Amino acid sequence: MSTISFEAPRGMRDFYPEDMVWRNRIFDAWRDAAEHFGFQNYDACVVESLELLQRKSGEEVSEQIYAFEDKSGRKLALRPEMTPTLARMVAAKQKRLPFPIKWYTMAQCFRYERMTRGRKREHDQWNMDIIGSQEVLCEAEILGAAVYAMRAMGMPDEAWRIHVSSRALLGELLAVSGIAEAQHPAVFIALDKRGKISDEEIAALLCSEGLDDGAIEKTFRLLNVTSLEEATALAGENSPAIQNLKALFTIAESMGYAHLLMFDIAVIRGLSYYTGIVFEAFDAQRKFRAIFGGGRYDSLLALVGGQPTPAVGMGFGDVVVGEVLREILGEDAPIAREGYCIGYMTAAERSAAVCLATRLRTEKNRVDLSLVAQKPKHFFGKAGNSNARFAIFLGPDDVASGKVQVKDLQTRESQEINL
Amino acid sequence: MSTISFEAPRGMRDFYPEDMVWRNRIFDAWRDAAEHFGFQNYDACVVESLELLQRKSGEEVSEQIYAFEDKSGRKLALRPEMTPTLARMVAAKQKRLPFPIKWYTMAQCFRYERMTRGRKREHDQWNMDIIGSQEVLCEAEILGAAVYAMRAMGMPDEAWRIHVSSRALLGELLAVSGIAEAQHPAVFIALDKRGKISDEEIAALLCSEGLDDGAIEKTFRLLNVTSLEEATALAGENSPAIQNLKALFTIAESMGYAHLLMFDIAVIRGLSYYTGIVFEAFDAQRKFRAIFGGGRYDSLLALVGGQPTPAVGMGFGDVVVGEVLREILGEDAPIAREGYCIGYMTAAERSAAVCLATRLRTEKNRVDLSLVAQKPKHFFGKAGNSNARFAIFLGPDDVASGKVQVKDLQTRESQEINL
């Protein structure tokens, strides 16, 4: 029979056990952080209706959707992000849910796009959303949980920063500059492309949206605002957007992560539905793409046909953070040794080994029981390369005496136990 | 803007937080069992190449594959099961992997089929596989981990049984009955349909495979064998298949789950690649479909073009076990209360509440901090309905005195702590 490719489909990832060590480090930190901050877990199928995804998604994403028809001709797709699904699920039970709700999920998402470094066609994304409250404490809680997760993964505080801005503030500043509100959405989309395309191309985009040269110049000048003080001078002390940002920085102080926040007017976020504070986290060197991002999107539910409801959300993919962690901690970041390996010399000792394994497992220990009889040298070689903390090898003498040595693979010490 | 459907696509499931309590109970038990038995975690994308899936899958599954083309015309599909992916991943690194390997995964799988009770178009499946050993200890370890998981979910031993048979044994018995080996695969497929179609239809299937009336009668007579002793009398004491089954029962005795095993010659398994021991678990009442199933499949790797390698595997879906658990434990099976709820009377107490929440979270507690100021009655009502163990409400007097009451929602007792 002819062989077929052993590769995963293009852009899709395989995770061998050695890869899972990294992935589980990330997933465990996500889950742990969300649970510690009192978020409730939800999930949905990776397949969604194409109509829902097209309704909600930004223009760029819509072209990148993996769409297909099922055998009844239903138009389906692999979701590119979780937010449309969240909006649908919340809208379906909007009258019964105990708002404000704090929900999280870890979801595989797909985008068909050209393959470049760090860009796969699928990734896993941690989403946290708080729906039903306008309090800036929502933003603070979501950022607090993200900080908790980063620390749980072993990321040092000095290695990264959360860049914070506000769509509402930028809107106020554009208004002060005399740019009509109707043009703001197009300006946001154009400015978000900064760094990806040249400033000349952005200027051309703004021009095609009807901004004259003076308005374009004023727009670029706004991007030179480098501090919240400067922004305050332009927008005024009474600006709701400024007061909101300052309140966030104050709560972050109480929560112990204000030193991780920096005001950055260049943070826009690509999707059109953000309405208030927006944020993106980057490694301090800015070598990698954004680690996570999100913000307030008070108009999302109305977009899918639900009741207008204030909301804040965050998306945190597994690819970029994995690259940053490997860069900072090294490929061989240590793994905690845990549990037992049990081996045996001949088939005659196997039954005693099975009984010992069963006893240790009943006591809630992790036990890797050898499937085949083997020489001690071979067994201890494999045990040393495993993640086990303790190794036990049963020879005929051990079974006869009813006692066996437990070797601690970390300290190299041994201790005798009864069989 | 017109509204769109808030329903998940047909056959796909949404998981609200109340559903996740059940799902996480199942997933946590799976993960815990696999880790305790020393299995290593692996994973792969839900999208696979159609060619791989068609190559490996049985006839029935192949018709039910969700297939589609990506924008480059690649033929892709949503996997109906994890085994082809496992075979591909192992074949890709066959020269480097430290056989025998013990791997597990929890994977979403898709089948396009008519909707009936307990049949969705997607489900999640726990897979454990041991590849590279012919020892029956492999089967015993996999069943031992499955038993561990069932107990961890709260399933009482008396509520379920593992039905065990052997393809090799049935092959020996068919040979003894004079049925040519070339016809065995077709006989297995026909017999596996028993209970789904009538015995007359099965007889017609066997007839179309070239079995004469005598052979068909002998085949049905084999299905009346009800004990391992009876099978031994037919196959002989020296039958390798009988010795293998007896060895499994002996190890199961040492591992403490022999009382859960029962010999059942009717267990065949639908897929064509099984070669030895096969098993399926059912609720004791036989009200539901199989909870999990699997067996030895020594020829799988060769099927995808890898080197022939002995293997045993198990698939354990989340749908049937969820139905059985709800039936046996009740819809409202108790959940452990954990962590804190914190509320506050007015915005003036919010800062103290944030500081207390941060302190408790730093001490590794789960804390649900209220997002809005509220009256104590409202707060305690919500706290009582949550999964939190402790509730703390901050009023102006508490902040002034620097002391607050921690209410244990389980014991109804209160204790004072310093702010």
Side-chain angles (χ1 to χ4, degrees):
Chain A
M1 198 174 285
S2 69
T3 57
I4 53 183
S5 170
F6 299 148
E7 299 291 311
R10 191 165 166 78
M12 314 296 176
R13 296 172 298 168
D14 285 338
F15 292 90
Y16 285 87
E18 61 269 27
D19 309 312
M20 289 304 279
V21 173
W22 279 103
R23 202 175 85 158
N24 284 337
R25 184 184 193 123
I26 294 167
F27 276 54
D28 289 349
W30 286 348
R31 192 181 298 110
D32 199 30
E35 293 286 339
H36 267 82
F37 277 71
F39 285 76
Q40 291 187 293
N41 200 189
Y42 76 100
D43 200 5
C45 183
V46 68
V47 173
E48 264 297 351
S49 84
L50 184 61
E51 188 193 9
L52 174 76
L53 300 177
Q54 284 176 328
R55 169 72 65 98
K56 139 70 186 58
S57 295
E59 163 206 9
E60 188 194 11
V61 166
S62 188
E63 285 167 18
Q64 298 173 341
I65 290 177
Y66 271 92
F68 60 98
E69 287 188 11
D70 75 7
K71 289 176 197 194
S72 315
R74 264 184 210 93
K75 286 186 198 307
L76 300 173
L78 303 178
R79 67 180 166 228
E81 51 159 342
M82 198 63 181
T83 315
T85 301
L86 172 70
R88 169 178 73 64
M89 287 176 67
V90 172
K93 297 203 175 184
Q94 199 155 11
K95 295 215 168 66
R96 281 166 291 161
L97 289 170
F99 294 103
I101 56 172
K102 296 164 65 180
W103 283 9
Y104 81 98
T105 193
M106 303 186 297
Q108 194 180 19
C109 299
F110 288 82
R111 289 192 189 192
Y112 188 84
E113 55 187 343
R114 288 207 179 283
M115 309 274 297
T116 55
R117 177 156 186 260
R119 285 266 177 191
K120 297 283 176 183
R121 288 177 180 168
E122 51 85 16
H123 73 155
D124 288 280
Q125 199 181 81
W126 179 33
N127 281 251
M128 283 188 295
D129 293 89
I130 300 181
I131 301 176
S133 167
Q134 285 181 315
E135 297 287 338
V136 73
L137 182 54
C138 303
E139 281 89 332
E141 283 278 270
I142 284 183
L143 289 176
V147 169
Y148 188 103
M150 291 287 270
R151 289 175 178 161
M153 290 172 200
M155 186 84 78
D157 276 10
E158 62 274 17
W160 67 290
R161 285 293 171 271
I162 304 168
H163 298 238
V164 180
S165 186
S166 160
R167 281 270 180 107
L169 172 64
L170 197 54
E172 287 181 19
L173 296 179
L174 287 170
V176 167
S177 303
I179 292 157
E181 206 176 320
Q183 290 173 321
H184 293 186
V187 173
F188 293 148
I189 288 174
L191 293 185
D192 182 57
K193 297 193 196 292
R194 218 180 176 205
K196 295 172 201 154
I197 62 175
S198 72
D199 280 3
E200 288 69 36
E201 286 169 298
I202 290 172
L205 269 178
L206 291 172
C207 181
S208 75
E209 290 295 335
L211 272 70
D212 62 28
D213 285 357
I216 293 172
E217 202 203 315
K218 281 177 190 162
T219 301
F220 275 103
R221 211 181 295 152
L222 289 181
L223 295 182
N224 294 330
V225 170
T226 56
S227 70
L228 197 49
E229 291 68 38
E230 219 177 311
T232 308
L234 287 170
E237 277 290 347
N238 294 326
S239 146
I242 290 285
Q243 292 184 343
N244 208 232
L245 276 167
K246 287 188 171 166
L248 173 64
F249 281 82
T250 303
I251 301 173
E253 197 72 57
S254 300
M255 290 191 170
Y257 66 84
H259 60 288
L260 289 171
L261 299 185
M262 53 183 277
F263 175 74
D264 180 357
I265 202 163
V267 173
I268 312 272
R269 304 290 294 155
L271 297 169
S272 53
Y273 55 82
Y274 289 102
T275 54
I277 285 175
V278 285
F279 53 83
E280 283 179 350
F282 290 96
D283 62 292
Q285 313 292 330
R286 292 298 298 259
K287 276 181 66 175
F288 299 90
R289 291 180 301 117
I291 298 169
F292 63 80
R296 181 166 285 279
Y297 54 97
D298 287 346
S299 51
L300 175 70
L301 270 166
L303 200 64
V304 301
Q307 294 301 309
T309 310
V312 191
M314 184 215 66
F316 188 145
D318 67 336
V319 175
V320 178
V321 78
E323 293 170 352
V324 178
L325 280 173
R326 282 174 168 86
E327 165 105 355
I328 289 172
L329 305 178
E331 280 288 339
D332 301 318
I335 306 146
R337 286 190 167 271
E338 194 197 332
Y340 294 80
C341 268
I342 300 180
Y344 43 94
M345 183 88 87
T346 71
E349 288 83 50
R350 199 181 61 185
S351 168
V354 167
C355 290
L356 179 60
T358 303
R359 190 178 99 199
L360 289 169
R361 284 168 179 162
T362 307
E363 293 162 1
K364 302 280 169 205
N365 295 294
R366 179 173 171 167
V367 180
D368 187 10
L369 172 63
S370 288
L371 296 164
V372 286
Q374 57 197 320
K375 298 224 159 64
K377 190 180 161 186
H378 187 211
F379 167 75
F380 282 107
K382 253 186 127 170
N385 289 329
S386 79
N387 296 333
R389 174 77 190 265
F390 302 102
I392 304 175
F393 187 81
L394 293 168
D397 296 348
D398 303 304
V399 174
S401 71
K403 291 182 191 303
V404 70
Q405 297 293 319
V406 179
K407 185 168 178 182
D408 186 327
L409 296 169
Q410 207 157 289
T411 65
R412 305 269 133 200
E413 283 163 10
S414 285
Q415 201 191 333
E416 197 175 74
I417 60 162
N418 290 320
L419 282 176
Chain B
M1 198 173 283
S2 69
T3 57
I4 52 183
S5 170
F6 299 148
E7 298 291 309
R10 193 166 163 77
M12 315 296 177
R13 296 173 298 168
D14 285 338
F15 292 91
Y16 285 87
E18 62 269 27
D19 308 313
M20 288 304 279
V21 173
W22 280 103
R23 202 175 86 159
N24 284 337
R25 184 184 192 123
I26 294 167
F27 276 54
D28 289 350
W30 286 348
R31 192 182 298 111
D32 199 29
E35 292 286 338
H36 267 81
F37 276 72
F39 285 75
Q40 292 186 293
N41 199 190
Y42 76 100
D43 200 4
C45 183
V46 67
V47 173
E48 263 297 351
S49 84
L50 184 60
E51 189 192 8
L52 174 75
L53 299 177
Q54 285 176 328
R55 168 73 65 98
K56 136 74 184 58
S57 294
E59 162 206 10
E60 187 193 12
V61 166
S62 188
E63 285 166 17
Q64 298 172 340
I65 290 177
Y66 271 92
F68 60 97
E69 287 188 10
D70 75 7
K71 289 175 197 197
S72 315
R74 263 183 211 93
K75 286 185 198 306
L76 300 173
L78 302 178
R79 66 179 166 227
E81 50 159 342
M82 198 61 181
T83 315
T85 301
L86 172 70
R88 169 178 73 65
M89 286 176 67
V90 172
K93 297 204 177 183
Q94 200 155 9
K95 296 217 167 65
R96 279 166 292 161
L97 289 169
F99 293 103
I101 55 172
K102 296 164 66 177
W103 282 9
Y104 81 97
T105 194
M106 302 186 299
Q108 194 180 19
C109 299
F110 288 82
R111 290 192 188 192
Y112 188 83
E113 56 187 344
R114 290 208 178 282
M115 308 276 296
T116 55
R117 179 158 184 258
R119 286 264 178 194
K120 296 283 177 183
R121 288 179 179 165
E122 51 85 17
H123 71 155
D124 288 280
Q125 200 181 81
W126 179 33
N127 281 251
M128 283 188 295
D129 292 88
I130 300 181
I131 300 177
S133 168
Q134 286 180 317
E135 298 287 338
V136 73
L137 182 54
C138 304
E139 281 89 334
E141 284 278 90
I142 283 182
L143 290 175
V147 169
Y148 188 103
M150 291 286 271
R151 289 174 178 164
M153 289 171 201
M155 186 83 77
D157 276 10
E158 62 274 18
W160 66 291
R161 284 293 172 269
I162 305 168
H163 299 237
V164 181
S165 185
S166 161
R167 280 270 179 107
L169 172 64
L170 196 54
E172 286 179 22
L173 295 178
L174 288 169
V176 166
S177 305
I179 294 158
E181 205 175 322
Q183 290 173 320
H184 292 186
V187 173
F188 293 148
I189 288 173
L191 293 186
D192 182 57
K193 296 192 196 295
R194 214 176 181 209
K196 295 172 203 155
I197 62 176
S198 73
D199 281 3
E200 288 69 36
E201 287 169 297
I202 291 172
L205 270 177
L206 292 172
C207 181
S208 75
E209 290 296 334
L211 271 71
D212 62 29
D213 285 356
I216 292 171
E217 202 204 315
K218 281 178 190 160
T219 300
F220 275 103
R221 211 182 295 152
L222 290 180
L223 295 181
N224 294 329
V225 170
T226 56
S227 70
L228 197 49
E229 291 67 39
E230 219 178 308
T232 308
L234 286 170
E237 277 290 349
N238 294 326
S239 145
I242 290 286
Q243 291 184 343
N244 209 232
L245 276 167
K246 289 189 170 165
L248 173 63
F249 281 82
T250 302
I251 301 172
E253 197 72 57
S254 300
M255 290 189 170
Y257 65 85
H259 59 290
L260 289 171
L261 300 185
M262 53 183 277
F263 175 74
D264 180 356
I265 202 164
V267 173
I268 312 271
R269 305 290 294 154
L271 297 169
S272 53
Y273 55 82
Y274 289 102
T275 54
I277 285 175
V278 285
F279 52 84
E280 283 179 351
F282 291 95
D283 63 292
Q285 314 292 328
R286 292 298 298 258
K287 275 181 67 176
F288 299 90
R289 291 181 300 118
I291 299 169
F292 64 80
R296 180 166 286 279
Y297 53 96
D298 288 346
S299 51
L300 176 69
L301 269 165
L303 201 64
V304 301
Q307 296 300 310
T309 310
V312 191
M314 183 213 67
F316 187 145
D318 67 335
V319 175
V320 178
V321 78
E323 292 170 352
V324 179
L325 280 173
R326 281 174 169 88
E327 165 105 355
I328 289 171
L329 304 178
E331 281 288 339
D332 301 318
I335 305 146
R337 286 190 167 270
E338 195 198 332
Y340 294 80
C341 268
I342 301 180
Y344 43 94
M345 183 87 87
T346 72
E349 289 82 52
R350 199 181 62 186
S351 170
V354 168
C355 289
L356 179 60
T358 302
R359 191 178 98 199
L360 289 169
R361 284 169 179 161
T362 307
E363 293 162 2
K364 302 281 169 203
N365 295 293
R366 179 173 170 167
V367 179
D368 187 10
L369 171 64
S370 289
L371 295 165
V372 286
Q374 58 198 318
K375 296 220 159 66
K377 191 180 161 187
H378 187 214
F379 167 75
F380 283 107
K382 254 186 127 169
N385 289 328
S386 79
N387 296 332
R389 173 77 190 266
F390 303 103
I392 304 175
F393 187 80
L394 293 168
D397 295 347
D398 303 303
V399 173
S401 71
K403 291 181 192 303
V404 69
Q405 297 294 319
V406 179
K407 184 169 178 183
D408 186 326
L409 297 169
Q410 206 156 291
T411 65
R412 303 268 134 203
E413 283 163 10
S414 284
Q415 202 192 331
E416 195 175 77
I417 61 162
N418 291 321
L419 282 177

